[in-house]
Amino acid sequence: MVKLFVEGGGGGLEKECREGFRKFITTAGIKNQPRIVASGSRSKAFDDYRIAIDNGEEALLLIDSEAPVADQHQQGADADQWKPWAYLRNRQDDAWEQPAGASDTDCHLMVQCMENWFLADSTTLRKFFGQGFKENKLPAHRPIEQVAKNEVHSALADATQGCKTKAPYGKSEHSFKLLAEVDPGRITAASPWAKRFVDALKKKMHS
């Protein structure tokens, strides 16, 4: 059984987190599902992944990059050659060493956070939040991976401030419900790292 350790699901949201990722993966065309483990914090996801690898299990890791990924870690058209472990080692707040037995193709980044993915599917955002949603408050005319994490959260809050049927965007209240509804095709078209993740998971699960 392949395990996918994801950042998210803390504060009692484990079930919502697993369900959101399960629906996203299914909609992306991956029939054979990994066992999704909602680890909570980013560092806990890394620790859970490292323990699984140490135990000889097949595992993948999916976490926020938290910041832009330097060009040196994403060189070339072949995303299998990208270096997420080098990025995580060089990032000052992480300084994580690549676990023995872990490969770059099993380490995946949401650049710069999961909410960046949502920017690729304003149609679903508009439908989800309904009347009062202000699409013009979202960052435009930039690749979604170049939008800073704090800017994404602020933009989503601003765009949803006046919605009639839902509260302004809140991570715990809305993020995994949205993840279950967004279009993976739009996200992988807009985010090279998201495409890398979906392609690697398809290969790993033979879907």
Side-chain angles (χ1 to χ4, degrees):
M1 167 65 77
V2 178
K3 290 182 179 176
L4 170 62
F5 294 95
V6 299
E7 175 181 354
L13 293 171
E14 294 89 347
K15 184 179 177 183
E16 289 88 343
C17 178
R18 288 195 305 270
E19 184 65 8
F21 278 104
R22 187 190 68 76
K23 287 190 175 176
F24 179 86
I25 288 167
T26 301
T27 308
I30 299 164
K31 299 182 185 71
N32 299 317
Q33 293 276 318
R35 182 181 163 198
I36 298 165
V37 181
S39 292
S41 73
R42 194 166 171 275
S43 58
K44 178 71 162 49
F46 171 63
D47 287 341
D48 289 348
Y49 169 83
R50 186 171 46 77
I51 291 166
I53 291 292
D54 286 347
N55 290 338
E57 297 181 83
E58 273 201 284
L60 296 97
L61 176 66
L62 179 64
I63 56 173
D64 293 345
S65 71
E66 299 285 336
V69 178
D71 289 343
Q72 71 196 68
H73 300 134
Q74 50 183 352
Q75 285 182 340
D78 183 1
D80 283 352
Q81 303 303 313
W82 293 359
K83 303 293 181 187
W85 286 119
Y87 166 78
L88 293 168
R89 184 180 66 244
N90 291 355
R91 185 171 179 268
Q92 189 172 4
D93 289 345
D94 295 324
W96 294 346
E97 292 298 331
Q98 180 174 347
S103 70
D104 273 313
T105 52
D106 289 340
C107 181
H108 298 278
L109 303 172
M110 294 180 279
V111 181
Q112 302 181 26
C113 62
M114 186 173 74
E115 280 78 3
N116 286 68
W117 286 7
F118 301 159
L119 299 180
D121 190 359
S122 57
T123 301
T124 295
L125 286 174
R126 192 165 56 247
K127 181 180 171 186
F128 182 88
F129 284 102
Q131 188 180 0
F133 178 71
K134 295 185 176 65
E135 188 174 338
N136 63 355
K137 296 290 187 181
L138 300 179
H141 314 301
R142 265 185 294 164
I144 63 171
E145 292 183 347
Q146 291 180 11
V147 183
K149 181 177 179 176
N150 61 347
E151 185 183 351
V152 175
H153 284 272
S154 295
L156 285 170
D158 289 346
T160 55
Q161 193 69 43
C163 291
K164 306 297 183 191
T165 59
K166 284 188 171 68
Y169 179 81
K171 189 169 184 67
S172 59
E173 188 174 355
H174 300 126
S175 62
F176 299 122
K177 293 184 179 78
L178 262 173
L179 181 63
E181 294 191 22
V182 289
D183 180 351
R186 291 183 178 180
I187 290 162
T188 54
S191 165
W193 280 92
K195 184 177 188 305
R196 181 181 184 271
F197 166 65
V198 169
D199 288 349
L201 193 55
K202 283 180 178 176
K203 195 179 296 183
K204 176 77 82 173
M205 305 308 297
H206 309 294
S207 289

